[in-house]
């Protein structure tokens, strides 16, 4: 997909949970555009709507009002099947808790989305292997179960599973939240490289200012609204600092 393609567009998106006195407004008239190839960090306090906005972008949550466009498709205009299909092909999702299947091997975890899309098992295994190689999971580790891997390795596997269908957008919800600083940095380096080398659009939710600084742009949420939308100056990105060392 062309890097100039508009990956995500939200127009006046409101998401309310519950009714009446119990109502919680998780998102309040949020409008934003993420061009293809961008790397956006979403920051904000707990409860400010960060996870909800990722779920709405992925079509996992339906907004109460407003319009969500993903890779040029108005999500509301798609049937449930078409929406699931678009989600599987266009979006990769990475979570803080990795969310791998514990009884599957690493390779089976990564091959699964392809098999779900109807790719034959042998071909799915082949593509899973190539994607695992790309994220730095080699050889025997592929036949292990997730519990036999370190946290950093498990997150690499989760990223491989998110990328195996070659999506154009990667949504990541606190992907380094369960990792030590050094391991977290390696995962952020990997996402940065995928963004730079493949034009993968990255939207990453984080509490950490360091993690957020990998983005080219930071969106700050508060009370379900975007209160700040800033481009991160090149000299403040760890990437550029590292390159100069
Ligand atoms: P963040 O990711 O910034 O911590 P969330 O998007 O998870 O914030 O939540 C925003 C608000 O919506 C919070 O007040 C949260 O309690 C509420 N919320 C999120 N999901 C649900 C849900 N399924 N049911 C009810 N309230 C929810």
């Amino acid at each position: 997909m062309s890097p100039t393609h508009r990956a995500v567009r939200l127009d006046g998106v409101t998401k309310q949970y519950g009714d009446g006195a119990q109502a919680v407004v998780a998102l309040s008239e949020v409008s934003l555009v993420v061009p293809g190839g961008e790397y956006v960090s979403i920051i904000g306090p707990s409860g400010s709507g960060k996870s909800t906005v990722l779920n709405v972008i992925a079509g996992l949550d339906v907004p109460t009002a407003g319009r969500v466009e993903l890779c040029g498709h108005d999500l509301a205009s798609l049937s449930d099947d078409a929406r699931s299909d678009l989600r599987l092909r266009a979006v990769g999702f990475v979570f803080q808790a990795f969310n791998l299947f514990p009884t599957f091997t690493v390779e089976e975890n990564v091959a699964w989305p392809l098999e779900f899309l109807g790719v034959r098992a042998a071909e799915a295994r082949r593509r899973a292997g190539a994607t695992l190689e790309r994220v730095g999971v080699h050889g025997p580790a592929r036949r292990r179960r997730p519990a036999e891997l370190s946290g950093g390795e498990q997150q690499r596997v989760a990223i491989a599973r998110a990328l195996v269908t070659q999506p154009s957008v990667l949504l990541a919800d606190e992907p380094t939240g369960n990792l030590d600083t050094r391991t977290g940095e390696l995962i952020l380096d990997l996402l940065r490289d995928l963004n730079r080398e493949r034009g993968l659009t990255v939207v990453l939710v984080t509490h950490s200012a360091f993690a957020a600084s990998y983005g080219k742009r930071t969106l700050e949420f508060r009370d379900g609204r975007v209160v700040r939308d800033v481009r991160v100056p090149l000299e403040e990105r760890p990437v550029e600092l590292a390159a100069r060392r």
Side-chain angles (χ1 to χ4, degrees), residues 122-190:
E123 173 63 10
R125 289 284 171 101
R126 192 192 62 74
R127 286 200 230 166
T131 312
L132 282 162
E133 198 64 40
R134 173 67 190 87
V135 303
V137 178
H138 310 289
R142 295 186 193 164
R143 286 177 289 284
R144 300 204 184 112
R145 313 248 176 247
E148 298 171 274
L149 304 180
S150 69
E153 286 172 320
Q154 288 186 59
Q155 194 58 300
R156 281 174 194 273
V157 175
I159 291 171
R161 185 181 57 180
L163 295 179
V164 77
T165 57
Q166 300 193 294
S168 53
V169 182
L170 186 82
L171 304 175
D173 198 350
E174 297 276 7
T176 58
N178 281 356
L179 305 175
D180 63 75
T181 311
R182 178 67 194 135
T183 311
E185 210 174 314
L186 293 172
I187 293 294
L188 292 168
D189 288 347
L190 171 63

Side-chain angles (χ1 to χ4, degrees), residues 15-18 22-27 42-55 61 173-174 205 207 221 223-224:
K15 176 66 190 180
Q16 178 177 321
Y17 292 106
Q22 309 297 320
V24 176
V25 179
L27 295 176
I42 296 186
I43 60 169
S46 187
S48 57
K50 305 184 298 297
S51 297
T52 305
V53 81
L54 283 194
N55 290 335
D61 235 341
D173 198 350
E174 297 276 7
V205 163
H207 274 101
F221 275 69
D223 300 326

Side-chain angles (χ1 to χ4, degrees), residues 188-209:
L188 292 168
D189 288 347
L190 171 63
L191 296 180
R192 177 201 61 208
D193 292 348
L194 291 164
N195 168 256
R196 286 182 153 191
E197 291 161 17
R198 294 202 182 174
L200 179 72
T201 309
V202 177
V203 183
L204 181 142
V205 163
T206 181
H207 274 101
S208 143

